[in-house]
Structure formats: structure tokens, C-alpha cells
Amino acid sequence: KWYLKAAEQGHAPAQFIIGVSYYSGKGVIQNIKQAYIWNSLAATNGVKEAIEIRNFLANELSPSALDEAQESAAKLYKKINSVG
């Protein structure tokens, strides 16, 4: 809950933790698309470990699911960074 609140406010390490959680299924239902979205945000915000994971996850998604995940990540990034 708290990691999600921090991630939604732009905290990159929390975004990474959320992404890893979605990938592993720890604390949430496993969801590769959500894992990609959150790792993409973390990578964009400077978490180097998230870059490798994001790239790995891109290969795990179908082309259409990857397009959707990239679009969702862009929208979420815009939303997070326009707050305030």
C-alpha cells in the first residue's frame, strides 16, 4: 500500500519495488504487463536495475501487449509528473 502511494508520487525506488512485485507475484497477483509498466517508470526515473528488467519483460510480452504496456507507462508517467 505504502510502496504504491510512493510510486504514484514519483518515487523511483518504490516504482522498482512495485515492478518486481508484479513480476514475482509477491504481495500482488503476478502481472507481466504491470511489471513492465512500473519497471519502465523506474528506469525512466534513474533506477539502473529496472532497465535490464524492463528489457527482459519486453520480450515476455506479445507485440500488442507490449504496445499497450508502453502506452500505459507513458500515460502514467505523464500523470505522475503533472501532479502539483
Side-chain angles (χ1 to χ4, degrees):
K1 172 184 170 183
W2 294 111
Y3 283 116
L4 185 57
K5 284 191 170 287
E8 290 173 340
Q9 293 178 8
H11 189 263
Q15 292 169 342
F16 178 66
I17 290 168
I18 297 288
V20 170
S21 296
Y22 272 115
Y23 176 68
S24 67
K26 289 191 177 187
V28 294
I29 295 172
Q30 186 180 36
N31 185 318
I32 301 301
K33 197 164 151 183
Q34 285 295 317
Y36 177 90
I37 291 167
W38 287 106
N39 276 288
S40 183
L41 289 172
T44 299
N45 289 316
V47 179
K48 293 178 184 175
E49 298 89 347
I51 297 169
E52 186 175 333
I53 294 173
R54 178 198 59 199
N55 294 342
F56 169 80
L57 293 170
N59 292 319
E60 298 292 307
L61 294 167
S62 70
S64 62
L66 179 58
D67 287 344
E68 290 171 12
Q70 290 171 334
E71 185 176 320
S72 294
K75 286 179 183 177
L76 186 55
Y77 179 85
K78 186 176 180 179
K79 179 182 174 185
I80 288 170
N81 290 296
S82 67
V83 173

